[in-house]
Amino acid sequence: MNTLLRTACHPWHTAHGGRMVDFAGWEMPVQYSSIVAEHRAVRQAAGLFDIAHMGRLKFNGPDAVRFLDHLLTNEVASLKMGQVRYALVCQENGGVLDDVLVYRFPETHLLVVNASNRLKILDWIAQNQASFDCQVQDCTESHFMLALQGPLSLSLLQPLTDIPLEPMGYYFGAPASVLGQPALVSRTGYTGEDGYEVIVEADQGLKLWETLLAAGASAGVLPAGLGCRDTLRLEAAMPLYGHELNENVDPLTAGLGFAVKLKKPDFIGRAALEAIKATPNRPVRVGLELTGKRIAREGSLVFAGDQQVGNVTSGTFSPTLEKSISMAYVNPVQSSVGSTVDVDIRGQRVAATVVKLPFYQRAVK
Amino acid sequence: MDLKSLKYARTHEWILVEGDSATVGISDFAVKSLTDLVFVQLPAAGRKLKAKETFGVVESVKAASDLYSPVAGDVVASNAKLEGDLGLLSDDPYEKGWMIKLKITDPAALANLMDHVAYEAFCASEAH
């Protein structure tokens, strides 16, 4: 039997009703109270997520930037100090190996990868590193990472740190002192809300976790599990590797062209992506709003009349909209907003309408 | 409801047997495991069920779960109120949250069900 990895806050989760599941080799909380309650806390107050299972890889050395630009579809060389970008790691044929965030910090570049792909990406790095003078250090187990997400995040985190958080732009980060300890703080997240992600040394994780929850408890801040992380990212129409993305999907078809810089002279998958871009009639990633309350799950087929025109990659009941929503790949003919299709849910056809993505967008101040 | 008077299936349905009549629902353990219920579908009266046959589905945000009849029987009634108010199921799974009433056509499968003590032990083992 494989031993599951545990984060620094594992004992807290089990002591506080966390329902623990095997997630990508880690024993992680899927929920503490209810997915819907935790989801609403994030939208209305704040939620605290243990995301220490995410892979954290530091790139250093003279060729670190050049190597990252070779591995990633988005531009690394043009990152401003502190800037964070979403990017894909592609194979030569354009298929997605992972979707990642790359951070430029003063002393290092950081790559945050999906827990489920960490070992695969470490292998991929080793396979492609020959001509680059770069050291890659896996800091996943030596460090802890949390996400504080929701409108109260700024006011909760600010008193614990020595850097002003308000001026920090979305998708920027900085080294900071948090509870007097070295940390990396960024204004990033996977929920569609404003919020911060914080990396500290593993032995500091539990104290930071408990301090944030104690500070926010009276304002309705909740610990939040992977269950609501999924419903939140789905409302925000963010792709999830293993659902919208896999090695047989390319980022252009996935609607992630904003993170693919074909003007870069070289990166793995560039030639294939250029050819894919010129290919007509590729499937399109769309949002579906279903009639009724039944939930279409990954693999549900999408029909126009008797003809199969697509398949569902993720579905849930949206706590914010109180509607059954899905993301799906469909033929371009059915992809325009307002198109009507049917989704097969366990043998029953349910009518659905193509709607604009994201399903949910926070009001920007 | 005296839970000790019920019998339980490994798929977490409970059944109350009174002569050749039975009432079927799902346990509090099942309801708490699902949480965040969004949908339930139950059969119309008249449907003939074999033991372990699917009679409906209950869905939560997390997953869809089929409902299995613990015994062979004809559906006499189903609890139409549940579809409009899943709170009845989550708050009171043994009384107001009942799902179907059956006229038992073959009681043989009842012998394979767990009593309350065995079911509690079964749930404790599943929770780990």
Side-chain angles (χ1 to χ4, degrees):
Chain A
M1 190 180 142
N2 287 330
T3 308
L4 295 176
L5 294 168
R6 294 175 168 187
T7 76
C9 288
H10 181 278
W12 191 96
H13 303 320
T14 54
H16 293 80
R19 230 177 257 177
M20 309 303 284
V21 297
D22 173 1
F23 185 83
W26 293 77
E27 194 176 337
M28 298 298 292
V30 70
Q31 67 191 72
Y32 304 84
S33 49
S34 113
I35 292 173
V36 172
E38 292 165 24
H39 180 113
R40 295 212 160 109
V42 171
R43 293 271 182 255
Q44 292 158 14
L48 189 61
F49 297 84
D50 180 343
I51 55 167
H53 62 303
M54 301 287 290
R56 291 171 289 285
L57 313 179
K58 283 185 180 171
F59 286 65
N60 286 298
D63 292 339
V65 170
R66 218 163 53 83
F67 185 32
L68 282 164
D69 258 327
H70 178 63
L71 294 171
L72 304 183
T73 58
N74 210 337
E75 271 188 351
V76 180
S78 62
L79 283 172
K80 296 187 181 85
M81 186 54 69
Q83 194 172 5
V84 186
R85 271 189 188 142
Y86 179 77
L88 292 307
V89 181
C90 286
Q91 312 178 105
E92 287 291 354
N93 69 4
V96 177
L97 288 169
D98 199 9
D99 65 333
V100 301
L101 290 185
V102 57
Y103 304 62
R104 181 185 171 193
F105 288 118
E107 287 173 10
T108 190
H109 279 72
L110 174 69
L111 193 70
V112 173
V113 307
N114 280 295
S116 54
N117 292 330
R118 177 168 62 114
L119 300 178
K120 180 177 80 174
I121 293 301
L122 283 168
D123 270 355
W124 185 249
I125 287 167
Q127 281 174 46
N128 289 283
Q129 201 177 342
S131 60
F132 297 94
D133 182 3
C134 172
Q135 295 79 48
V136 179
Q137 187 192 358
D138 181 0
C139 304
T140 308
E141 293 188 50
S142 61
H143 285 69
F144 177 77
M145 186 174 191
L146 62 75
L148 178 63
Q149 300 281 296
L152 299 185
S153 300
L154 170 63
S155 62
L156 280 169
L157 186 59
Q158 184 62 82
L160 310 188
T161 183
D162 64 337
I163 60 165
L165 296 177
E166 238 254 282
M168 184 183 276
Y170 192 54
Y171 269 62
F172 275 84
S177 168
V178 175
L179 289 177
Q181 299 290 327
L184 294 172
V185 177
S186 60
R187 198 164 197 167
T188 47
Y190 193 52
T191 60
E193 288 308 319
D194 192 13
Y196 298 85
E197 292 174 323
V198 184
I199 299 171
V200 292
E201 285 172 17
D203 60 4
Q204 301 298 318
L206 184 58
K207 186 179 169 200
L208 177 58
W209 178 270
E210 290 184 318
T211 305
L212 283 167
L213 277 182
S218 62
V221 176
L222 291 181
L226 294 176
C228 77
R229 190 165 159 83
D230 189 48
T231 56
L232 288 157
R233 71 91 196 168
L234 222 168
E235 285 186 347
M238 292 168 163
L240 174 59
Y241 197 89
H243 291 258
E244 286 71 37
L245 299 175
N246 59 59
E247 291 177 17
N248 300 313
V249 173
D250 70 85
L252 300 175
T253 300
L256 303 172
F258 70 91
V260 178
K261 297 292 154 59
L262 291 173
K263 67 179 182 196
K264 274 206 304 189
D266 152 66
F267 64 87
I268 301 172
R270 186 183 171 283
L273 290 170
E274 198 135 273
I276 287 165
K277 194 175 182 184
T279 307
N281 293 318
R282 286 179 286 124
V284 181
R285 177 162 68 99
V286 298
L288 298 176
E289 203 172 278
L290 281 67
T291 53
K293 294 195 162 179
R294 299 207 69 178
I295 299 169
R297 313 276 173 179
E298 180 185 14
S300 293
L301 300 181
V302 180
F303 289 88
D306 290 334
Q307 194 195 356
Q308 189 200 325
V309 297
N311 61 287
V312 168
T313 49
S314 298
T316 194
F317 189 78
S318 159
T320 306
L321 307 174
E322 302 196 321
K323 284 177 178 158
S324 172
I325 60 170
S326 301
M327 287 199 278
Y329 284 107
V330 300
N331 292 343
V333 180
Q334 279 81 27
S335 67
S336 49
V337 169
S339 296
T340 53
V341 292
D342 289 323
V343 180
D344 185 298
I345 301 181
R346 293 155 62 95
Q348 287 180 10
R349 295 287 175 92
V350 174
T353 306
V354 176
V355 297
K356 196 167 160 283
L357 292 177
F359 298 100
Y360 166 85
Q361 196 157 26
R362 72 178 181 273
V364 177
K365 278 184 253 178
Chain B
M1 174 78 66
D2 177 7
L3 302 186
K4 295 195 174 59
S5 64
L6 305 179
K7 291 199 174 271
Y8 302 85
R10 296 173 71 86
T11 45
H12 300 288
E13 293 84 7
W14 56 260
I15 182 167
L16 174 68
V17 179
E18 295 164 298
D20 66 350
S21 296
T23 306
V24 176
I26 59 172
S27 73
D28 191 51
F29 179 87
V31 166
K32 289 205 163 68
S33 300
L34 288 164
T35 63
D36 303 311
L37 302 176
V38 296
F39 176 83
V40 63
Q41 189 171 52
L42 298 174
R47 173 99 179 267
K48 293 181 188 305
L49 295 171
K50 300 186 197 96
K52 296 190 178 175
E53 187 176 346
T54 305
F55 70 80
V57 63
V58 59
E59 274 198 55
S60 72
V61 170
K62 229 182 322 184
S65 301
D66 284 322
L67 301 165
Y68 300 96
S69 183
V71 70
D74 297 342
V75 178
V76 179
S78 66
N79 189 351
K81 285 183 187 162
L82 290 190
E83 288 177 28
D85 184 2
L86 287 161
L88 296 173
L89 179 55
S90 43
D91 298 343
D92 191 7
Y94 300 106
E95 300 271 1
K96 290 179 181 153
W98 69 272
M99 291 180 159
I100 53 172
K101 292 188 187 292
L102 295 174
K103 183 168 192 316
I104 296 171
T105 51
D106 180 356
L110 293 174
N112 303 323
L113 299 175
M114 288 174 271
D115 65 14
H116 185 67
V117 173
Y119 180 66
E120 285 205 316
F122 176 70
C123 290
S125 71
E126 278 220 329
H128 288 293

